Amino acid sequence: MTDARGSAGRNGETNARRAPGTPCWVSLMVHGPAATHDFYGALFGWEFRPGPQQLGPYARALLDGHEVAGVGQLPSDRHLPLAWTPYFASDDVNRTAETVRLCGGTIGVGPLDAGEAGRLAIGSDPSGAVFGVWQPAAHLGTAVTGVPGTPAWNELMTYDSAGVAKFYETVFGFELVPDVTTDDVDYMTLLLDGRPVAGIRGVGDALPRDRGPHWVTYFQVADAEESLERVIGLGGHVIEPAGDTEHGRVAMVADPEGARFAVLQGGRPRGADERDERISRPRR
């Protein structure tokens, strides 16, 4: 995740409002929050404290006292594929929500106030992938990045990148940069002010039928192999083993409830360290 405004401290601490469109938070809704807290606490060293309860029981994950993510509880009658959801910053969530609707997306929750923390909406793009919109007040979003246990990147897994890229360009003002290094990779990097902030990966028929298009969050780790061992030992499973890219070592995993995420060692995934480059993007 790239902060388009403000600066980061010595340990990656961020203290500024993000520019509109910047990924600023990630959240996961699960059936068993207590077990989920145990899993991510042991994997990333997170501790948890209560957060806004407007959508039901909700806790914020802290790393060394800094807020990095959120975990909420799904109603018992909801049986949906679980996925980490990125929230994109907005100066006016009501206006952004209306733009989502005008561009063919839907708003399923909100806009509504989350106490004194801010204002939010949860929607989906025209392909069905869920994302959030966050208008900050007291809560600016993820407070530390660039260290193990923090979000590093968000990537949309969908049928084809061109099909939804224009939606995100219009709603959030992204510049779209397609991968032009090879014909057999369908990838689009989303930039704000010349900085990569997220990606869209088109995988065609390889997209799991039981999940549909969905966002994937990459979390920074110190050692990918050690993290995979922890995931398995804690009841999760490995979807794709660790592999090297030009931007680090990456593996795809799932927690015990099936929520998928990626672990990233040693850097950031494709596109995340580039500004206006159109080539030299790693292949997986």
Side-chain angles (χ1 to χ4, degrees), residues 156-201:
L156 174 61
M157 305 292 288
T158 189
Y159 296 108
D160 69 278
S161 64
V164 295
K166 288 295 183 181
F167 168 84
Y168 288 98
E169 177 186 35
T170 303
V171 173
F172 296 111
F174 297 133
E175 177 189 353
L176 308 179
V177 181
D179 186 314
V180 296
T181 59
T182 178
D183 292 335
D184 62 357
V185 172
D186 179 10
Y187 196 90
M188 193 85 69
T189 302
L190 307 180
L191 286 76
L192 281 176
D193 298 326
R195 297 185 179 188
V197 295
I200 301 177
R201 182 187 298 273

Side-chain angles (χ1 to χ4, degrees), residues 88-130:
F88 299 94
S90 172
D91 287 340
D92 186 335
V93 69
N94 290 57
R95 184 176 58 197
T96 302
E98 182 60 24
T99 304
V100 167
R101 296 188 185 99
L102 291 173
C103 292
T106 61
I107 296 295
V109 176
L112 57 83
D113 291 326
E116 298 179 354
R119 189 164 171 80
L120 67 85
I122 300 174
S124 58
D125 66 29
S127 73
V130 177

Side-chain angles (χ1 to χ4, degrees), residues 15 36 70 77 88 116 119 121-122 139 211 220 245 247 278:
N15 299 295
T36 298
D77 60 345
F88 299 94
E116 298 179 354
R119 189 164 171 80
I122 300 174
H139 176 65
R211 302 189 65 84
Q220 197 88 34
T245 76
H247 296 278
R278 300 299 190 266

